[in-house]
Amino acid sequence: MNELPVPVAAPSAHLGTLAPGVADPSLASPVMPVPPAHENAYVVQGGVMYTAPSLRTCTMLRRSGGIVVSANGKPFELHMKGEVTHHQALVVKPLVEHRLLAEDTPIVSLLVNPLHPMFRMFRGMPRHGVMSLPREAFAYHEPQLQAASGGEFDGAQGGLLYNGLISTVARYLPPVTHSAIDDKADHVVALLHADVNRSLDELARSVGVSYTRMSHLFTQSLGISLRNYQLWLKIHNALNMLYSGTTLTEIARTNGFADLAHLSRVSRQALGAPLTHFRSSASLKKIYCPAA
């Protein structure tokens, strides 16, 4: 098979530090189940850590950053742009179309969503959006990877491993810095969280710039465009509402989707599975991690 050239990263001197976030009890498995499965979703601050004995996703275009580690060191497949490459550990930038295949290979997969304080680290990734990491970079976490894969961790232990893996990956990326551009982006984010259906032009005017300029600044700051952030937030809110007793049709309408079919199509593309998978999946065990 042809190999897509994906350089193996070397660590920088920077070691990412993590600030407390808001616990997100809504996220779940980012992939289609492979029955019979023993899947675990450790729901943590600003994301989820998912483990499974095998993995087969549909093609995804996620607004979250991804970290994938083979729990036993056996390579898994990355399918991207018609090419197949093999990795033991991988970082995927938001909005990079890809799918993953790991047959009989236990996987620990992290989603780091835009609410996480280290989400901005993904903006320093190579332009093509994937980075292969040496498996030995995760040697310190070896016992924890095995325990998490077996569903042996409680929420507190899962949260520590999730943030520890992010800190390890951050050593291979440029340091996260803060600027005046980030202040504008954070202001717009706050307005969006107050009203996810607010118009993008209105959001731009709130910081005194055009929509085109605001979208450029937003992408510089978070690594994804303002429009993509809004779409991610709609999906995030829809996931939050899944366990409220609200009908799927009402969830779609509340979050600005044209209809249920529109919501289902977008969620499958963004999450790797239809929204209904997250409401009821007998194969998936959800473990909620306390806020730090």
Side-chain angles (χ1 to χ4, degrees):
M1 287 180 288
N2 294 330
E3 293 287 331
L4 180 69
V6 180
V8 175
S12 69
H14 173 68
L15 177 63
T17 56
L18 298 168
V22 178
D24 178 4
S26 64
L27 294 174
S29 159
V31 301
M32 298 295 289
V34 184
H38 305 283
E39 307 169 36
N40 304 287
Y42 296 88
V43 183
V44 300
Q45 301 178 51
V48 61
M49 180 172 67
Y50 172 77
T51 73
S54 297
L55 186 69
R56 184 186 300 113
T57 74
C58 63
T59 300
M60 301 176 292
L61 190 68
R62 299 190 295 207
R63 274 78 184 172
S64 299
I67 300 168
V68 188
V69 182
S70 169
N72 64 1
K74 182 180 176 181
F76 55 87
E77 294 181 5
L78 168 70
H79 294 246
M80 179 177 158
K81 297 182 179 179
E83 305 286 350
V84 179
T85 53
H86 297 82
H87 308 270
Q88 294 175 307
L90 186 69
V91 187
V92 183
K93 195 173 184 176
L95 294 170
V96 172
E97 189 173 79
H98 70 287
R99 67 183 181 92
L100 298 168
L101 178 63
E103 297 285 5
D104 300 318
T105 303
I107 289 294
V108 177
S109 175
L110 278 65
L111 287 184
V112 184
N113 75 37
L115 294 179
H116 195 281
M118 288 300 290
F119 178 76
R120 283 184 168 101
M121 74 178 183
F122 293 100
R123 68 187 178 188
M125 286 188 61
R127 191 162 186 173
H128 60 264
V130 295
M131 179 183 291
S132 190
L133 297 182
R135 181 59 174 76
E136 54 268 26
F138 300 91
Y140 174 81
H141 305 290
E142 197 68 48
Q144 292 79 19
L145 288 169
Q146 300 300 324
S149 294
E152 301 170 15
F153 271 3
D154 60 21
Q157 293 168 312
L160 287 173
L161 177 58
Y162 175 87
N163 285 328
L165 292 172
I166 291 175
S167 291
T168 294
V169 169
R171 294 175 55 207
Y172 293 83
L173 296 171
V176 176
T177 57
H178 194 88
S179 68
I181 291 175
D182 297 324
D183 292 335
K184 288 182 183 292
D186 290 344
H187 175 76
V188 168
V189 164
L191 293 178
L192 261 181
H193 280 261
D195 179 8
V196 71
N197 294 312
R198 195 184 296 259
S199 80
L200 300 182
D201 285 332
E202 181 184 350
L203 291 169
R205 286 196 298 271
S206 73
V207 291
V209 298
S210 67
Y211 164 69
T212 301
R213 178 60 178 162
M214 185 64 243
S215 186
H216 177 73
L217 294 176
F218 200 92
T219 302
Q220 273 189 277
S221 175
L222 271 85
I224 62 173
S225 71
L226 177 55
R227 187 177 300 277
N228 273 307
Y229 185 95
Q230 184 185 47
L231 183 58
W232 168 81
L233 185 58
K234 289 180 177 183
I235 298 168
H236 171 82
N237 289 348
L239 282 167
N240 270 332
M241 296 176 68
L242 276 181
Y243 309 100
S244 66
T246 308
T247 67
L248 290 174
T249 299
E250 181 62 19
I251 289 174
R253 186 196 65 79
T254 300
N255 289 289
F257 293 97
D259 51 30
L260 180 55
H262 182 206
L263 171 58
S264 297
R265 184 170 65 253
V266 170
S267 66
R268 180 181 287 274
Q269 181 191 54
L271 302 170
L275 204 65
T276 51
H277 173 61
F278 304 104
R279 173 169 272 181
S280 58
S281 175
S283 67
L284 180 66
K285 177 184 177 183
K286 300 181 184 72
I287 304 161
Y288 296 100
C289 306

